[in-house]
Amino acid sequence: MRIKVQCPGYRDPLALGFRDQNELVIRRSQRRAQKRSGTRTTDSSLDSGGPMIPSPQGSPQYPAEELARGYLFCQYMAGGHMSYLVPLIQNPQSSAVNVALNAVGLAALSNIRMSPRMMLKARQEYTTALAQTNHALRDPVMSKRDDILAAVVLLGMFEAMACTDDSFIDRWMKHMEGAARLIEFRGPEQLSRREGLDLFTQLRAQISTSTLYRETYSSIALTELTKTAKQHRNNNDHILDDLGLIVIRLGNFCAALKDGTITDPHEIIRSALTLDAGLTVLFLDVPGPWNYKTVKVPIHDGELITRLVWGESHHVYHSIVASSMWNNYRSARILIHELILDTVKALDSTASDETSSQQRRNLAEQSRRVARQLVEDICASVPFHLGAGVQDEDALAGPEERAPSSGHGSLLSADRNHLDMTGAGGLTLVWPLLIAANSGLASHDLRKWITGCFDKIGHSMGINQALAMAQLLRKGMHMRAWLTPGFGSGNSV
């Protein structure tokens, strides 16, 4: 009552399994012994492959699948990002989604615990889920069920957890193609259910990202579904669909540039500025639950107290869903201003009029300034996504609600309200961070910092996709190079 936080009740015994430090201590001790003796030993408790996972002394042991499901619940469902899974996995008929859930959780824990045998079990579950999902997709009735679409989402998550090389981009693109066809087949009826609407919203953002970078047109059906989705939301949430419609227009604009439908440089700049103005106006007055606060990082002896923040401030949001929405908005605007900069550069190489040249230079400088700020803002969202919060409990309150304070909130290593959201935070952060790193406006130091963020996401959250992205950045590769024909290969649902 004192801190105005709702009591969650007694702790689930499963949660105790994630605070077991015995294995970590044993592993460190073994490593020190190996260094002294020059021999290598194996932690059998991690790679036994048995059905039971050690728990703290005096606590019961749990099957690996149960711990995997508990991990996903704490890291992805409890924070609201994928809460639509909760009723779906409780349905006894939802076999595919339950097996897919096991596969994702086991894969994440395998990466965190460095257990190859647990990954083998995860791949077995993945194979079973894949077969069940493909069977359901061939049935015109079953393929419209929410649990089958949720299984498709989880199979895509498994690829993010288990990927081992840079071909993940190609596989992800193909996965999004299949997901797009599926939500179109499901039709507007899916939007009348909470679970169906949430699934559609999450997939639409990913599909739009995919079409943007493949520079392909979105279907008319996706636009119509987005308009219908808006009718099923309350007024505060309309911004999700308004943003979705503008991003779809941006994707179609990029496709028109690629196929030569639009070639005139002046028309390109006008259209880009129109799209950017639409996004800017849309986010001028964001409803309260979707907004965020900027928090200054305290400085001690002339140094920032943490390296988790790039710059001197970071953002605090109401939810991962809100921060993801903002980063989708920033990513779209970064792409728009990159288009403007490329077009102005091409014009400068051919035009000779000095007055027009000065105007173009002014426009280019403005675009660079806006894009740099957008990159900084994506980076400012990182601490929230990775589980850091502010000590000041009034950080998100409006001016009229905030208690008087003489100082700034300080970063905590793990905010009590956001700790359980770090897995979802890491998964939703990787693509915006990749866009920021490859914007052409990120310095060498910033790219290095982002690479470190990818490493943290990969190692601490079990998301191997982040490690693959970090490796590509270390190689100095830029995103456009990854989308060339033949870069990657793979299959998906």
Side-chain angles (χ1 to χ4, degrees), residues 7 10 37 61 64 72 79 96 98 130 137 168 174 197 203 213 223 227 291 299 319 353 358 381 405 433 435:
C7 176
Y10 289 105
S37 63
Q61 293 183 324
L72 280 191
N98 275 285
L130 187 63
L137 291 175
F168 76 88
K174 291 180 179 178
L197 183 61
L203 278 171
Y213 283 101
T223 300
K227 294 177 181 177
N291 222 324
I299 297 177
S319 66
D353 182 80
Q358 181 60 47
S381 75
S405 174
L433 269 182
I435 291 169

Side-chain angles (χ1 to χ4, degrees), residues 126 154-163 171-172 175 491-492:
Y126 171 78
L154 287 169
L155 290 172
M157 281 182 64
F158 177 87
E159 301 228 1
M161 304 293 179
C163 77
R171 292 196 300 271
W172 179 76
H175 198 87
N491 297 299
S492 61

Side-chain angles (χ1 to χ4, degrees), residues 442-462:
S443 65
H444 172 76
D445 287 343
L446 180 53
R447 281 172 62 93
K448 185 177 179 180
W449 183 82
I450 291 174
T451 302
C453 291
F454 283 141
D455 286 336
K456 181 177 179 64
I457 292 169
H459 291 301
S460 64
M461 303 175 194

Side-chain angles (χ1 to χ4, degrees), residues 17-18 20 23 44-56 59-68 106 109-110 113 115 117-118:
F18 303 113
D20 179 13
E23 294 172 355
S44 59
S45 68
L46 291 181
D47 286 334
S48 64
M52 307 301 289
I53 300 296
S55 293
S59 299
Q61 293 183 324
Y62 298 97
E65 290 84 353
E66 289 299 319
L67 287 180
L106 286 167
L109 287 181
S110 167
R113 296 183 173 219
S115 172
R117 292 193 181 184
M118 191 179 287

Side-chain angles (χ1 to χ4, degrees), residues 174-192:
K174 291 180 179 178
H175 198 87
M176 287 302 103
E177 288 182 34
R181 290 194 294 268
L182 184 55
I183 63 172
E184 291 166 14
F185 174 72
R186 281 160 52 88
E189 193 271 337
Q190 66 184 305
L191 305 174
S192 62

Side-chain angles (χ1 to χ4, degrees), residues 177-388:
E177 288 182 34
R181 290 194 294 268
L182 184 55
I183 63 172
E184 291 166 14
F185 174 72
R186 281 160 52 88
E189 193 271 337
Q190 66 184 305
L191 305 174
S192 62
R193 302 181 299 274
R194 174 65 183 270
E195 294 78 20
L197 183 61
D198 289 348
L199 278 162
F200 170 78
T201 304
Q202 181 179 336
L203 278 171
R204 179 185 59 196
Q206 297 181 45
I207 291 167
S208 295
T209 300
S210 174
T211 55
L212 275 170
Y213 283 101
R214 286 185 294 122
E215 297 174 322
T216 56
Y217 292 97
S218 294
S219 67
I220 296 176
L222 184 64
T223 300
E224 293 305 314
L225 284 170
T226 298
K227 294 177 181 177
T228 304
K230 186 175 180 179
Q231 301 171 13
H232 292 277
R233 302 190 203 271
N234 62 52
N235 292 338
N236 280 341
D237 297 342
H238 285 175
I239 190 170
L240 289 170
D241 302 304
D242 291 334
L243 173 61
L245 287 172
I246 297 179
V247 173
I248 289 172
R249 286 171 50 202
L250 174 59
N252 292 338
F253 175 56
C254 292
L257 296 178
K258 182 179 180 180
D259 67 17
T261 302
I262 302 176
T263 57
D264 179 59
H266 297 90
E267 183 180 355
I268 292 172
I269 292 175
R270 280 195 299 270
S271 298
L273 289 173
T274 299
L275 287 167
D276 190 61
L279 286 168
T280 303
V281 171
L282 177 62
F283 277 71
L284 281 178
D285 187 20
V286 177
W290 296 103
N291 222 324
Y292 65 91
K293 294 294 181 182
T294 300
V295 179
K296 289 287 186 180
V297 180
I299 297 177
H300 179 68
D301 291 337
E303 297 288 337
L304 297 177
I305 65 169
T306 176
R307 295 182 181 179
L308 187 61
V309 177
W310 176 263
E312 299 179 355
S313 62
H314 68 100
H315 297 163
V316 180
Y317 300 82
H318 286 271
S319 66
I320 290 292
V321 180
S323 59
S324 298
M325 179 197 72
W326 274 97
N327 280 341
N328 290 337
Y329 154 82
R330 292 161 184 150
S331 299
R333 291 194 68 197
I334 287 171
L335 295 178
I336 289 173
H337 286 282
E338 283 186 311
L339 282 173
I340 293 173
L341 288 168
D342 289 344
T343 306
V344 168
K345 184 177 180 180
L347 273 174
D348 278 342
S349 65
T350 58
S352 58
D353 182 80
E354 183 60 32
T355 302
S356 298
S357 180
Q358 181 60 47
Q359 292 175 341
R360 288 192 298 273
R361 283 195 292 270
N362 292 340
L363 177 60
E365 181 55 36
Q366 178 184 338
S367 283
R368 274 190 289 269
R369 185 168 59 251
V370 170
R372 284 195 191 100
Q373 184 59 57
L374 293 165
V375 168
E376 296 278 342
D377 287 342
I378 288 176
C379 293
S381 75
V382 168
F384 177 83
H385 278 260
L386 298 190

